[in-house]
Structures are given as structure tokens and as C-alpha cells.
């Protein structure tokens, strides 16, 4: 009976140390990942046509039209700023971990001017052409249109799927069998 208690105490101590060891391993991995501050997991290239048709009013005779083809590069992923060990609920006996991460967001959008092409520009004889300021405003509006349509593009959902796969692979390498990733 005495040996049974000694073995039980020994196993309990080993279990506690192994749990601590797993927590330290996870903390170490989290620290390495959070040094990035953001985890970009997907990049899309979006082509956008921007057009304007300024029809003359009673005091303006004629109309003017303009058309641009633009390329935008979108990156999406998650913000790792507040990620810590508290985001990982571990059940060592079941080899299970539940990870809670922030929802994916658009990390960057880049519309290089050298990839913006003026396709069409028509101005009636009695009207002035589009100014540089008006052209810039139209391009900004095109960028805002892309951002407002981000849900329909599917980039955020794909970013979350990729982040989920990343964390599942990382935790699987640490020996976890059941890995659940939630986004809140």
C-alpha cells in the first residue's frame, strides 16, 4: 500500500511538471509568433475598373467621362497583439487544446500608381478635363469600394481558415490530438 501511494505521488508530480512543460512550450511558441504582431495568412490581387460620367447640368454644356483599370493587393490575417497563454485552454489528459483567436481583418491594401492605367478619357468641347485632384479622388473612391466589398470577396474567411490550419499544425507538432480553433 505504501508503494502504491509513492507511485501515485510520483505520477502526480510528473503530470504537474509535464503540464508546466507543455505550458512553457506553448508560451515559447506564442511568444515567437506574437513577435510578428500580425499574422498575414492570405494575399489577393484584385482588378478594379473605376469609371466616372460627369454629365453637364443646365449651366455646363456637354459631358466628360473617364475610365481606369487598377490593380489592388490585399493582405488579410489576424492581429496577434493581445494573444497570450490565456487564449489556449489545455486538457493534457485528453491531449486537447481549444484556441480562441481574434477574427481576421484586412491588414493592408496597396494600389500602386504604376499599375493604374487610364483607359478612356473623353471631354466635350466646352468642358474642362478631369483635374489631378479629381482623378486622385476617383482612385481613392475605388479603393474604398474594394474595402467595403471585402466580405463578398471571401478573403477574411480564407484568412481565418489559413490561420486555423497554421495553429492546428503547430499544436499537432506538440502532440495534441484534438485541436479546436475559435474566432471571436
Amino acid at each position: 500500500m505504501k508503494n502504491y501511494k509513492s507511485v501515485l505521488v510520483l505520477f502526480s508530480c510528473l503530470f504537474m511538471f509535464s503540464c508546466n512543460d507543455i505550458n512553457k512550450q506553448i508560451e515559447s511558441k506564442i511568444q515567437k509568433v506574437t513577435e510578428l504582431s500580425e499574422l498575414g495568412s492570405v494575399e489577393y490581387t484584385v482588378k478594379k475598373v473605376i469609371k466616372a460620367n460627369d454629365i453637364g447640368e443646365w449651366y455646363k454644356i456637354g459631358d466628360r467621362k473617364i475610365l481606369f483599370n487598377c490593380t489592388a493587393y490585399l493582405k488579410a490575417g489576424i492581429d496577434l497583439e493581445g494573444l497570450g497563454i490565456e487564449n489556449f485552454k489545455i486538457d493534457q489528459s485528453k491531449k486537447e487544446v481549444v484556441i480562441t483567436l481574434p477574427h481576421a481583418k484586412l491588414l493592408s491594401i496597396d494600389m500602386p500608381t504604376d499599375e493604374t492605367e487610364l483607359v478612356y478619357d473623353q471631354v466635350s468641347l466646352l468642358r474642362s478635363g478631369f483635374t489631378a485632384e479629381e482623378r486622385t479622388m476617383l482612385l481613392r473612391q475605388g479603393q474604398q469600394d474594394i474595402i467595403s466589398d471585402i466580405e463578398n470577396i471571401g478573403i477574411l474567411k480564407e484568412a481565418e481558415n489559413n490561420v486555423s490550419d497554421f495553429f492546428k499544425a503547430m499544436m499537432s507538432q506538440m502532440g495534441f490530438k484534438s485541436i479546436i480553433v475559435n474566432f471571436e
Side-chain angles (χ1 to χ4, degrees):
M1 187 70 159
K2 190 174 185 178
N3 279 341
Y4 176 73
K5 286 183 180 178
S6 298
V7 169
L8 186 61
V9 169
L10 180 63
F11 276 123
S12 296
C13 288
L14 286 174
F15 180 72
M16 285 177 23
F17 287 124
S18 69
C19 285
N20 268 347
D21 190 42
I22 287 291
N23 284 346
K24 285 181 183 177
Q25 287 177 7
I26 291 172
E27 281 184 44
S28 173
K29 294 249 185 200
I30 292 169
Q31 185 178 14
K32 287 178 184 174
V33 170
T34 57
E35 285 174 1
L36 303 172
S37 82
E38 293 177 337
L39 179 60
S41 62
V42 68
E43 183 174 318
Y44 276 27
T45 301
V46 176
K47 300 288 186 179
K48 175 78 175 164
V49 175
I50 302 169
K51 65 181 181 175
N53 187 6
D54 183 13
I55 299 172
E57 298 177 26
W58 68 272
Y59 58 91
K60 296 178 185 175
I61 300 171
D63 62 347
R64 56 190 189 153
K65 300 174 183 178
I66 195 164
L67 179 77
F68 293 100
N69 279 336
C70 301
T71 303
Y73 299 98
L74 312 173
K75 288 183 186 176
I78 63 169
D79 184 4
L80 299 172
E81 187 95 6
L83 193 66
I85 192 68
E86 62 276 357
N87 295 85
F88 294 76
K89 304 298 180 215
I90 300 168
D91 186 339
Q92 186 63 29
S93 65
K94 294 180 183 177
K95 289 288 191 189
E96 179 180 272
V97 61
V98 177
I99 307 168
T100 304
L101 300 171
H103 281 289
K105 67 179 186 175
L106 186 64
L107 299 176
S108 70
I109 181 169
D110 182 28
M111 277 181 48
T113 55
D114 60 333
E115 294 186 41
T116 300
E117 175 188 8
L118 175 62
V119 177
Y120 183 76
D121 186 9
Q122 178 188 4
V123 180
S124 295
L125 186 60
L126 299 174
R127 296 285 307 269
S128 60
F130 287 91
T131 65
E133 184 179 311
E134 289 172 317
R135 291 174 185 219
T136 300
M137 185 185 69
L138 288 170
L139 293 174
R140 280 193 198 127
Q141 181 59 47
Q143 185 174 1
Q144 288 303 315
D145 290 348
I146 292 171
I147 292 170
S148 65
D149 202 32
I150 206 78
E151 289 292 328
N152 298 328
I153 294 173
I155 189 172
L156 299 179
K157 184 67 177 157
E158 188 173 344
E160 286 184 359
N161 289 340
N162 292 345
V163 166
S164 178
D165 290 345
F166 170 80
F167 277 97
K168 285 179 180 178
M170 182 176 78
M171 300 312 286
S172 179
Q173 287 177 350
M174 296 180 72
F176 289 95
K177 303 296 180 205
S178 175
I179 304 153
I180 301 166
V181 179
N182 296 319
F183 292 91
E184 324 185 313

